Amino acid sequence: MPGFLDQLLQGVNSASRIVTSSYVFSTKTILLLKDLATGGSSSRNIPVRLREAFEELGATYIKLGQFIASAPSLFPEEIVTEMQKCLDSVRPLPFSEVQKVLKKELGRDYQKLFQSIDPVPMASASIAQVHSAVTKDGLDVVVKVQRPDIESALGADLNLLFLASKLFEIFVPGLNKSGLSEMVGMFQSSILEEIDFIKEANNCEEFERYLLSSGETRARVPKIYRELSTKKVLVMEKFYGAPITDETSLRKFSKDPSKTLSDALEIWFSTLSKSGFFHADVHAGNLMILRDGTVGFIDFGIVGRISSKVWEGLMIFLEGLALNRTDRIASGLVRMDGTASGIDEKKLAKDLETVFDQMSKMVLDIQMGELDAFDEKKMNTILFEFRDISDRNGLKIPKEFGLLIKQILYFDRYIKSFAPELDLIRDREKFIK
């Protein structure tokens, strides 16, 4: 009987979500039509109206906006640029709602499992929020609690998104070749993994197994408390330290900041090169310098996996970037596309010269210490040009390419603050051991 009631409630919630989403998108469509009627440009206003709708609907749509913003090789430039304004910051859940989730997932007597749970969240995002806690055994932990009804909302949202993307491709000039509807499938697979905390726990422990198997002691991941965790609740060891971008803390906890940064990069690259598995969301908040001087990797909700061909292609691409050789860049792109055949690499290299010059200038400026040279908008523009040139030459760049390049350039910019003697692109082999 409870199963039937749960299904019935999920159906009601999904129907309600569809009505709400339809209303918001309809409102934005009316505004677009009004723009047209008054002589405005619908193509210019579509990204703005779309972003406004995402922010009004929250949760799933905010994650979708961030997904679009993080994949400039897949979506139109104007939409990616606008979606960069989507912030993963939503109103915290009342603690009473958090308690309901804990009770449902861990049992009515869940309080007996903890000495205390701080009712004030450490962080609140679109999928979940995090609270500090102390287990019954006196262990300091963080409790990540999924927002209620996110699964039913997601199911309704994805169905509506697919329909909306198809309609946009049919009726909006210039979007028919954007691949907008294709991204729904990619987004679905991405976010379904993120809302399954068992998979996140598995990802974290997979990274830990790599550290252990390679005898790596310079980095750690939080211990997962499986007996306290479910698909919607994740309990992990609480790390004490600071974001690795905090210069004061970095110098406080590390006698050699340059070596600490080098260690972090080497570990990240090693997992990528040896296993094809990598932490795909290593922003400042997810990479910590711990009190004992070791590096802490946290939050494995988003990970990536690449084939050996993509890895080989990436190394050839970076070699071309370091040596100012467009022929090697072209070879790297061709190697990444496992389905490529009959590609004229000389023509591709010639077509890449202009965009290569832009990227080379950015890399050189970063290496000369001009940290502002790494501009997100410029980087996205460069990646759009790479995609367009590749498309014209019959080449398909894998979606991981843009994310990896941006992460690598971000790291290169980042280490110039603390370790200017390091050159990530030139000395890439140093970080692959």
Side-chain angles (χ1 to χ4, degrees):
M1 194 66 169
F4 170 75
L5 291 176
D6 287 342
Q7 290 179 1
L8 181 61
L9 182 59
Q10 183 174 343
V12 171
N13 289 337
S14 296
S16 174
R17 182 65 174 172
I18 290 175
V19 171
T20 302
S21 301
S22 299
Y23 172 77
V24 172
F25 281 117
S26 296
T27 301
K28 299 305 176 185
T29 301
I30 290 171
L31 289 174
L32 283 172
L33 293 175
K34 183 179 178 181
D35 291 337
L36 279 175
T38 56
S41 171
S42 65
S43 60
R44 186 180 68 244
N45 291 333
I46 281 174
V48 176
R49 300 302 186 196
L50 199 57
R51 191 257 307 162
E52 290 173 348
F54 283 12
E55 290 181 340
E56 285 185 38
L57 291 166
T60 309
Y61 287 88
I62 289 174
K63 298 301 291 186
L64 175 59
Q66 293 173 336
F67 176 79
I68 294 172
S70 69
S73 61
L74 298 176
F75 307 105
E77 179 178 3
E78 61 275 11
I79 291 181
V80 170
T81 301
E82 188 63 30
M83 288 304 167
Q84 288 170 3
K85 299 175 184 177
C86 275
L87 299 176
D88 193 11
S89 178
V90 296
R91 184 176 300 174
L93 280 173
F95 190 58
S96 59
E97 292 297 312
V98 172
Q99 290 176 308
K100 288 179 183 178
V101 176
L102 291 172
K103 184 180 295 185
K104 183 176 181 179
E105 293 296 309
L106 301 179
R108 299 186 65 84
D109 295 329
Y110 78 90
Q111 294 99 329
K112 295 181 179 179
L113 302 173
F114 301 92
Q115 290 185 17
S116 64
I117 301 177
D118 190 341
V120 179
M122 297 171 60
S124 180
S126 56
I127 298 296
Q129 69 182 40
V130 180
H131 292 258
S132 292
V134 179
T135 68
K136 65 177 182 179
D137 297 322
L139 301 171
D140 289 349
V141 296
V142 293
V143 182
K144 186 174 181 178
V145 182
Q146 192 172 123
R147 288 178 173 269
D149 304 324
I150 191 70
E151 280 192 273
S152 59
L154 177 62
D157 289 344
L158 287 173
N159 289 333
L160 186 62
L161 279 168
F162 183 77
L163 176 61
S165 64
K166 281 295 185 183
L167 292 175
F168 272 121
E169 287 180 338
I170 293 172
F171 294 110
V172 178
L175 285 185
N176 60 317
K177 295 182 180 180
S178 68
L180 196 59
S181 59
E182 292 180 15
M183 67 83 177
V184 174
M186 287 183 286
F187 171 65
Q188 181 179 19
S189 61
S190 171
I191 199 170
L192 284 177
E193 288 215 358
E194 194 172 349
I195 66 169
D196 186 343
F197 291 168
I198 298 299
K199 289 186 177 180
E200 180 174 343
N202 292 341
N203 292 335
C204 184
E205 291 178 345
E206 180 176 349
F207 195 88
E208 182 179 39
R209 284 194 297 274
Y210 171 80
L211 297 179
L212 292 173
S213 66
S214 58
E216 184 57 72
T217 58
R218 296 169 296 174
R220 292 198 295 125
V221 298
K223 173 180 172 56
I224 304 296
Y225 294 94
R226 291 278 186 171
E227 68 278 10
L228 300 176
S229 300
T230 70
K231 185 177 179 181
K232 297 182 180 181
V233 173
L234 183 60
V235 179
M236 301 169 285
E237 172 188 3
K238 185 176 183 179
F239 273 175
Y240 288 94
I244 207 164
T245 50
D246 183 336
E247 182 173 359
T248 301
S249 296
L250 181 59
R251 298 190 184 281
K252 177 181 177 182
F253 298 139
S254 173
K255 295 180 180 179
D256 189 348
S258 175
K259 185 177 186 305
T260 298
L261 288 168
S262 180
D263 289 346
L265 290 167
E266 183 181 316
I267 293 163
W268 186 83
F269 267 105
S270 292
T271 58
L272 178 62
S273 64
K274 294 178 180 178
S275 67
F277 171 84
F278 65 99
H279 191 310
D281 193 24
V282 189
H283 57 68
N286 289 342
L287 190 60
M288 300 177 66
I289 175 71
L290 305 183
R291 289 177 178 176
D292 63 0
T294 58
V295 177
F297 287 85
I298 63 174
D299 194 349
F300 285 79
I302 303 175
V303 300
R305 288 178 172 81
I306 62 172
S307 67
S308 58
K309 283 187 174 294
V310 172
W311 170 253
E312 291 167 6
L314 179 65
M315 289 297 99
I316 296 171
F317 178 94
L318 291 178
E319 176 192 345
L321 199 58
L323 299 177
N324 295 320
R325 290 181 54 183
T326 53
D327 62 320
R328 296 303 288 162
I329 285 182
S331 293
L333 293 175
V334 171
R335 180 68 63 88
M336 289 184 204
D337 184 358
T339 64
S341 61
I343 303 295
D344 186 339
E345 289 192 23
K346 289 185 178 179
K347 179 180 181 301
L348 176 61
K350 181 68 176 177
D351 291 346
L352 285 169
E353 285 181 0
T354 301
V355 65
F356 168 75
D357 289 342
Q358 297 175 47
M359 180 171 278
S360 292
K361 183 179 185 306
M362 180 183 291
V363 172
L364 181 61
D365 288 345
I366 292 171
Q367 293 171 348
M368 294 298 291
E370 297 179 26
L371 303 184
D372 292 337
F374 181 76
D375 179 86
E376 189 80 12
K377 187 173 181 180
K378 288 180 183 177
M379 188 66 237
N380 284 342
T381 299
I382 290 172
L383 290 172
F384 281 122
E385 292 186 39
F386 267 115
R387 185 192 67 178
D388 291 342
I389 291 170
S390 297
D391 286 346
R392 291 201 304 269
N393 284 270
L395 200 63
K396 185 177 180 181
I397 297 179
K399 59 180 173 43
E400 296 88 359
F401 170 75
L403 295 173
L404 287 170
I405 290 296
K406 288 175 70 175
Q407 184 74 69
I408 288 169
L409 289 181
Y410 171 78
F411 277 146
D412 201 36
R413 170 187 181 274
Y414 169 60
I415 62 178
K416 293 307 172 186
S417 299
F418 308 108
E421 72 280 5
L422 295 178
D423 186 330
L424 179 56
I425 294 176
R426 184 196 63 205
D427 303 326
R428 61 196 176 281
E429 297 295 337
K430 168 182 174 9
F431 302 107
I432 307 167
K433 296 182 178 180

